[in-house]
Structure formats: C-alpha cells, structure tokens
Amino acid sequence: MIIQAMEFHDFSHCKSLLDMLKDGEFVFKYKHELEIKFEKMLEWFVKVKLGISTRPIPPFSADNKKIDLLDLYMVVKRGGGYKNVTDNNLWAVVAKDMEYDYNDGKLTRIMYAMYPNVLVYYYKFKTVQGKVIEKEMVEHDEGPSDLILIKKGRRAKGMFKKKKHFITMPCLLEMTRKE
C-alpha cells in the first residue's frame, strides 16, 4: 500500500500526504496507517526541516494522554482551520471532539500551533509560491526595455532580463542569477 511505503525526505512527500487527507473517506478507511504516517511526517518536518529538537513527538497532555495529531488536524480542518477556530473561540469544542475536557481547549490550541499549524502554514506558502512560479508570463515588447521571462524546465526557474541588468522579484524565491 502506498501509505506504508511513504517516507519523508523532502517537503514534496509531506505535500503528498496532506493532499491525501483532503479525502475524508480515505482518512476514515486508513485512519490507523495515516495516524502513524502523519506523526512521522510531522516528526521529519519539525526535527529535520525546521531543526527543532525540543518538541516531543508524539506530544502528551499533562495527564500523560497521547495527543493524536491527525485527529487534531482533521477536527480543526473541519472547523474551518486555525484562524476560524481561533476567531470563533472554538478550541474547547475541538478539545471535546477529541475526547478531552472543555478545559483543555487551550492545550489543543497550543498543540495545534506547535505541530500541524507550522506544517499547514508552510504547505500554503509553498502552494502559493508554486502557482506564482508556474504562472505563464507574456512577453511584452516595449522597445529597449523589454522584459523577458526565460523558462528552464517545467517549474519555470528563470530570471527576468532587462538588457544586461537583472531584476529580482521577492515573490519568485527560486530564481537564479546568470549572465
């Protein structure tokens, strides 16, 4: 099965798993396998990608109960995401949905912020970045100040060229400079 074979060595592997979690029936059917992979993914992301070694994975509550990070992710996602749950003060409801007390709302908010939210934020950033990079640019003929996008490969790593001077754009982080 593809879930069992998944390993995390690059963010694209995390993205693949997050994309799988969009299908609620799939999550329900393979919940146990996904819980394990979700923890491994977060462990790789937090410890390897971000270099944070002080956060235990899996996390535990004060009464030594393991916090299921996949459940936390899915409940918050169903609630409209971190911002919506926070804006509507629904963390106590999230805690209750996860079989904690209403008083544990603050704990669930902190655990979500420390683990899944960091990954979700990065996922959204990379998704937007990918759309910007892959957006097709139209060549404009404006005389001596022509701007041309030179595409290399499928991901459109390129540069803007204005005569022999280079123009950089902060939204295109993967651009390389070559003369």
Side-chain angles (χ1 to χ4, degrees):
M1 176 193 299
I2 193 166
I3 299 169
Q4 293 170 342
M6 288 186 88
E7 293 184 5
F8 303 100
H9 303 290
D10 185 75
F11 184 73
S12 63
H13 303 138
C14 298
K15 186 178 180 316
S16 297
L17 183 60
L18 288 172
D19 288 342
M20 286 180 194
L21 298 178
K22 291 178 181 177
D23 182 357
E25 289 180 33
F26 181 79
V27 173
F28 182 76
K29 186 174 182 178
Y30 299 105
K31 187 169 183 343
H32 179 68
E33 292 90 351
L34 288 169
E35 285 173 349
I36 294 166
K37 287 300 175 180
F38 194 77
E39 269 186 20
K40 288 184 188 243
M41 173 185 65
L42 281 171
E43 182 175 29
W44 175 84
F45 185 76
V46 170
K47 291 186 177 181
V48 177
K49 182 77 173 165
L50 299 180
I52 301 171
S53 59
T54 56
R55 293 184 188 169
I57 297 179
F60 287 86
S61 65
D63 61 349
N64 213 23
K65 183 178 177 185
K66 179 184 168 193
I67 296 173
D68 186 334
L69 294 170
L70 178 62
D71 274 352
L72 179 59
Y73 171 78
M74 296 304 290
V75 170
V76 172
K77 184 177 166 192
R78 257 193 330 266
Y82 181 82
K83 183 176 179 359
N84 189 60
V85 171
T86 302
D87 289 349
N88 293 300
N89 200 22
L90 299 173
W91 287 105
V93 176
V94 169
K96 196 63 178 169
D97 283 354
M98 293 182 63
E99 300 178 5
Y100 288 96
D101 293 331
Y102 282 112
N103 299 343
D104 292 325
K106 186 175 180 179
L107 170 71
T108 57
R109 182 184 57 80
I110 291 169
M111 289 299 112
Y112 190 86
M114 288 178 62
Y115 295 95
N117 197 48
V118 176
L119 179 70
V120 169
Y121 184 82
Y122 192 78
Y123 173 82
K124 288 178 181 177
F125 168 76
K126 292 303 266 182
T127 301
V128 169
Q129 182 187 36
K131 288 178 183 177
V132 169
I133 291 171
E134 292 187 9
K135 182 177 179 183
E136 290 192 11
M137 300 295 289
V138 178
E139 184 178 10
H140 298 280
D141 185 12
E142 298 176 7
S145 64
D146 290 345
L147 292 178
I148 303 169
L149 175 66
I150 302 170
K151 290 186 175 182
K152 292 185 177 182
R154 196 171 127 298
R155 290 208 31 108
K157 286 187 181 179
M159 64 196 96
F160 286 94
K161 206 174 191 180
K162 182 177 180 179
K163 294 186 180 180
K164 290 194 176 189
H165 300 91
F166 294 94
I167 300 170
T168 59
M169 296 183 68
C171 62
L172 299 176
L173 300 175
E174 295 184 359
M175 291 174 34
T176 58
R177 291 182 179 211
K178 292 183 182 176
E179 290 199 44

